[in-house]
Amino acid sequence: MHRFFVTWALALVGHGLILASGAAAAQGFQNLDQIDTLVATTVGVGIGQPGGANAPVDRRLRLAACPNIPSIEGPVFGAAIVRCDKLGWRIRVPLKLAPQPAPVTAYGRAPQQQPQPQARTILIKKGDPVQLVAGNASFSVSRQTIADEDGAVGEMIRVRGDKTAPPVSGRIEPDGIVRVPGI
């Protein structure tokens, strides 16, 4: 009987240690409920509602605990950006975009109109030397490249440093610079 109680007591202590170690490990990670609340507060809409987060942040995510409150940017390209500048982590929280209603006329919904072809003004032609720029507000890197295709302002084109280099895609800006998006 004594052996049974000792085994039972050791099992309880073992379970307590496992639970305690799990709780201690969780303290080193960012509180994901806090991120959900920050995103909802920033965009002004709750999770699952149009304009709010698609879903809660994935609970399998293990981010180091940010020493201060994470900053929220957005919406940017259909997502809120949550970042901890002190630790250097950043995540995207996809947002549920609100459907755009069709215009309504006096007789109901407007008929689907065919898009009118617009005159495309070619700014860069294939073979033109162009400046490729990558960077953000903190840094910028540029390089002289050659255009692989024609393009107008706002279009994505491929450029390459030389004929053997792999192509890089970039968006044409009004000043003729090709900028790598997302950096």
Side-chain angles (χ1 to χ4, degrees):
M1 183 80 162
H2 177 69
R3 189 173 188 186
F4 171 76
F5 285 114
V6 170
T7 305
W8 186 71
L10 286 175
L12 279 177
V13 170
H15 286 294
L17 288 176
I18 290 171
L19 291 174
S21 67
Q27 291 175 356
F29 297 121
Q30 180 64 38
N31 182 348
L32 300 179
D33 291 328
Q34 179 190 29
I35 291 176
D36 287 336
T37 303
L38 287 171
V39 170
T41 304
T42 302
V43 297
V45 182
I47 296 171
Q49 297 175 349
N54 276 342
V57 174
D58 189 347
R59 296 304 185 229
R60 297 172 290 181
L61 192 59
R62 300 289 181 243
L63 298 169
C66 192
N68 49 6
I69 297 174
S71 63
I72 310 286
E73 296 174 17
V76 177
F77 296 117
I81 309 298
V82 182
R83 77 174 74 221
C84 178
D85 293 326
K86 287 219 179 218
L87 299 179
W89 57 255
R90 175 179 74 169
I91 62 170
R92 294 181 74 242
V93 178
L95 300 176
K96 187 173 191 173
L97 299 177
Q100 297 296 324
V104 177
T105 65
Y107 300 105
R109 297 225 178 263
Q112 294 292 334
Q113 298 176 359
Q114 296 294 328
Q116 299 297 322
Q118 296 179 2
R120 184 174 153 215
T121 306
I122 301 296
L123 182 64
I124 296 177
K125 295 188 183 250
K126 181 177 180 177
D128 284 352
V130 295
Q131 183 178 11
L132 178 68
V133 177
N136 58 27
S138 302
F139 76 97
S140 176
V141 178
S142 65
R143 179 176 184 202
Q144 195 68 22
T145 58
I146 304 294
D148 274 356
E149 53 195 335
D150 297 347
V153 173
E155 293 181 342
M156 295 286 287
I157 64 167
R158 292 183 307 265
V159 297
R160 55 178 88 222
D162 59 48
K163 292 184 184 210
T164 60
V168 176
S169 293
R171 187 169 312 281
I172 300 173
E173 294 187 345
D175 57 2
I177 292 174
V178 176
R179 184 170 298 275
V180 177
I183 297 179

